[in-house]
């Protein structure tokens, strides 16, 4: 499950971001929580942490994450 998170606590801007190696990244489709429409999101997998973003150029603010 993808769990929405507070953008202030995202891994993209944390001190850990530079020390945790990216294992996989790329575009995936995610179903919206309320409207149930499908949205294309940029996902990044670091160790056991999965985060998603609106685009690869906007990885400073996470839209959600899952551990």
């Amino acid at each position: 499950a993808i769990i929405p998170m507070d953008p202030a606590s995202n891994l993209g801007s944390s001190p850990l971001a530079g020390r945790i190696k990216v294992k996989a990244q790329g575009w995936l489709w995610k179903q919206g929580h309320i409207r149930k429409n499908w949205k294309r999101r940029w996902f990044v997998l670091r160790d056991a942490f999965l985060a998603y973003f609106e685009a690869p150029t906007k990885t400073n603010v996470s839209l959600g994450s899952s551990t």
Side-chain angles (χ1 to χ4, degrees), residues 18-35:
R19 294 184 289 181
I20 300 175
K21 185 178 177 185
V22 173
K23 293 190 175 197
Q25 61 184 345
W27 291 106
L28 293 172
W29 290 91
K30 165 198 171 310
Q31 190 174 29
H33 178 70
I34 304 278
R35 297 191 181 207

Side-chain angles (χ1 to χ4, degrees), residues 33-57:
H33 178 70
I34 304 278
R35 297 191 181 207
K36 304 295 183 193
N37 56 334
W38 290 91
K39 301 173 185 181
R40 189 173 84 147
R41 295 292 185 237
W42 182 258
F43 281 78
V44 177
L45 177 64
R46 290 183 172 121
D47 289 332
F49 185 85
L50 179 67
Y52 65 93
F53 308 89
E54 191 173 332
T57 57

